[in-house]
Amino acid sequence: MAVTLLVLLVQDIPLSTYLRQSEQDRITTSLERDAFLLAGRGEQALESGTTGDYAAITTMARTYQKSGGARVIITDADGTAIFSGDADDTVVGSSYKSRPEIATALTGQIATGTRYSHTLAQSLLYVAVPVLSGTNVYGAVRLTYPESVVANAVNSQLQLLVVAALTSVLLAGIVGYLLSTTITQSLGRLRSVTERIADGSLGDRADTAKGAGELRSLARSFNSMTDRLHTLIDQQRAFAADASHQLRTPLTALRLRLERAEELASVDPAGSAERLAAAQTEVDRLSDIIEGLLRLSRAEAADIPTEVVDVAAVARERVEEWSALAQDSGVRMSYRGPDRAPALAVPTAAQQIIDNYIDNALSVSPEGSLLEVVVTEEGRTVTVAVRDEGPGMRDEELARAFDRFWRAAGQQGDGGSGLGLAIVAQLAAASGGSVALARRESGGTEARVTLPAARATTPRGATGRRDKSDRGEKS
């Protein structure tokens, strides 16, 4: 309302001045027209100079004044009044030559303006014109109008402006109240949701269907932030729960073995050494679990931009890297796929995923079997499949293989942390891809990772370089 009022004041103050000047110009123009009309009609009588002819001028001037026109003064060429619009004719015969406007009109010029009349005790708007016949001046006609008439006309228009201004201010107040109420209600609902979330109710979300477009956009951004916060808190809680659960067993075993080693140190050195060796194994296992937890936590929390990676080149490189170890186990390795397969992935993700798959496949591949790494391009995706000829996995094992700390029944005592495939799943998700395990019809397991093809989309912050190979996490 204040802004609207300020705008109206800035607009209406100059407008009132303009209206006053326009009204004055209009009345002045009207008086000039009437004065010239009277002067034209009285020209012959003033030119003859006979008193008898003045009667016609007097009748005409009195008729004009009674019809609502201005006060009329008509003088002869000497400035002597031959007609006055006063109620009495006492000024007739008086000299008006001392009046500036009459003196100007008797010189053949038009005089207009305002002046204060001491006789009438008010300001007057006047017009004085000469009575001409050719170049000869035979008299003057002066019309005067109270300036208050101009003020009254302007004031009547200003009253309309004031009414319009007040109406505008009132409407602005109503509209402003409705808008501010809508905004404050939406902000109030958002504040209530914020307070409930601050109190621990992380399931609450802001309403994205009500309010102005900007407030709905703010609500959507707030919900996205809350979802991310909820996810991070859940991850931290899961990390703490997993860490406390998984670290408790190796720590307990380590403590027991150290205590037993201490007891046997003096009576059975060989037994003590055996206990210490077992304790070292528990330390290594504990170190693997902690390192895996840290890697998994970093993979979950980080928002790392993807980059273009030649998955085919990475797969060939990892096959060459693992071939020597596979030969020692009597397993043949091969690569099948295109020469190039650019995809999007976070740094080192492709290497770590393929390494984990190969490591797991080698651990179950029988001697003389084939371990195959296959890369395929299908539309907007690039898929890497690691196929082994091992014993395969049951349906419940396939469903839980990517869970944290989960290991197959035959692997419970192999010292693995059970985090390798969980890290694989997180790296794939961070790259915008997915992972899957499937049982092969011919026997064995196929481990797949699907990544977005680089030709299909362009990543934000992509560097366009291919990482060097890096031996990744092992399960």
Side-chain angles (χ1 to χ4, degrees), residues 105-119:
L106 291 176
T107 63
Q109 299 178 1
I110 301 173
T112 61
T114 58
R115 68 176 179 83
Y116 184 78
S117 172
H118 294 283
T119 304

Side-chain angles (χ1 to χ4, degrees), residues 119-141:
T119 304
L120 300 176
Q122 63 178 338
S123 294
L124 299 175
L125 176 64
Y126 63 82
V127 172
V129 300
V131 179
L132 297 173
S133 178
T135 59
N136 298 321
V137 179
Y138 293 102
V141 176

Side-chain angles (χ1 to χ4, degrees), residues 261 268-278:
D268 186 4
S272 177
E274 183 181 348
R275 298 299 190 280
L276 289 175

